[in-house]
Amino acid sequence: MAVELQILGRAVKAAQYRQHRALDTRLASVGSTLAQWDALRAIGRVPGASARELAAATFQSEQAFGTLAGRLAAQGLVDRRPGHGRRIEHHLTPEGSRMLKAGHAVADEVLAECFEGLTEPEREALLGLLRKVEGQSEG
């Protein structure tokens, strides 16, 4: 019997939704949201990145990321500096680094709970399959 692709797609979306809701709820305990923490994580990975690069890394439009980065800067979590030409570079402040670290601890707990029903080989298989699907969709 063939798997119905719409059911498969919905199952992937449901798992993602559950994970995102849990992360957003628990990140509030450290004063962040999932979108904010994800932006801090992207900036932490590539200090000095442009809004365009960070928008792509966080699956947002440039406009949405720019608005979010402005809020993070107003909260003292991100420093936006002029770069080459019109480029604005993004860097974490010490408070942004602290928030990112606190968010990592929360995310580790939430994700451990989300995937606790899978064995390590099942997790490896799931990751491999998702990477394979992602690679096919980029072609």
Side-chain angles (χ1 to χ4, degrees), residues 39-123:
L40 294 174
R41 185 171 54 169
I43 295 166
R45 284 184 181 143
V46 188
S50 69
R52 173 175 287 169
E53 294 163 330
L54 295 166
T58 58
F59 306 101
Q60 297 184 49
S61 68
E62 275 188 71
Q63 182 178 2
F65 186 85
T67 300
L68 177 57
R71 287 196 311 265
L72 293 172
Q75 293 174 332
L77 302 173
V78 171
D79 182 30
R80 298 167 89 184
R81 306 174 197 160
H84 182 70
R86 293 179 36 182
R87 178 184 173 101
I88 302 294
E89 296 180 349
H90 297 77
H91 299 270
L92 296 178
T93 64
E95 181 61 18
S97 293
R98 186 204 63 75
M99 179 73 70
L100 177 60
K101 184 177 178 181
H104 278 309
V106 169
D108 287 345
E109 291 175 13
V110 169
L111 295 172
E113 292 169 11
C114 286
F115 295 107
E116 70 186 352
L118 299 178
T119 64
E120 191 59 31
E122 288 172 332
R123 291 176 188 185

Side-chain angles (χ1 to χ4, degrees), residues 7-68:
I7 291 172
L8 176 60
R10 181 155 171 54
V12 169
K13 183 69 175 175
Q16 179 189 35
Y17 179 74
R18 177 178 165 251
Q19 175 186 316
H20 283 192
R21 284 203 50 194
L23 281 167
D24 213 27
T25 299
R26 300 267 285 281
L27 283 166
S29 70
V30 296
S32 187
T33 66
L34 177 55
Q36 291 170 340
W37 178 72
D38 194 36
L40 294 174
R41 185 171 54 169
I43 295 166
R45 284 184 181 143
V46 188
S50 69
R52 173 175 287 169
E53 294 163 330
L54 295 166
T58 58
F59 306 101
Q60 297 184 49
S61 68
E62 275 188 71
Q63 182 178 2
F65 186 85
T67 300
L68 177 57

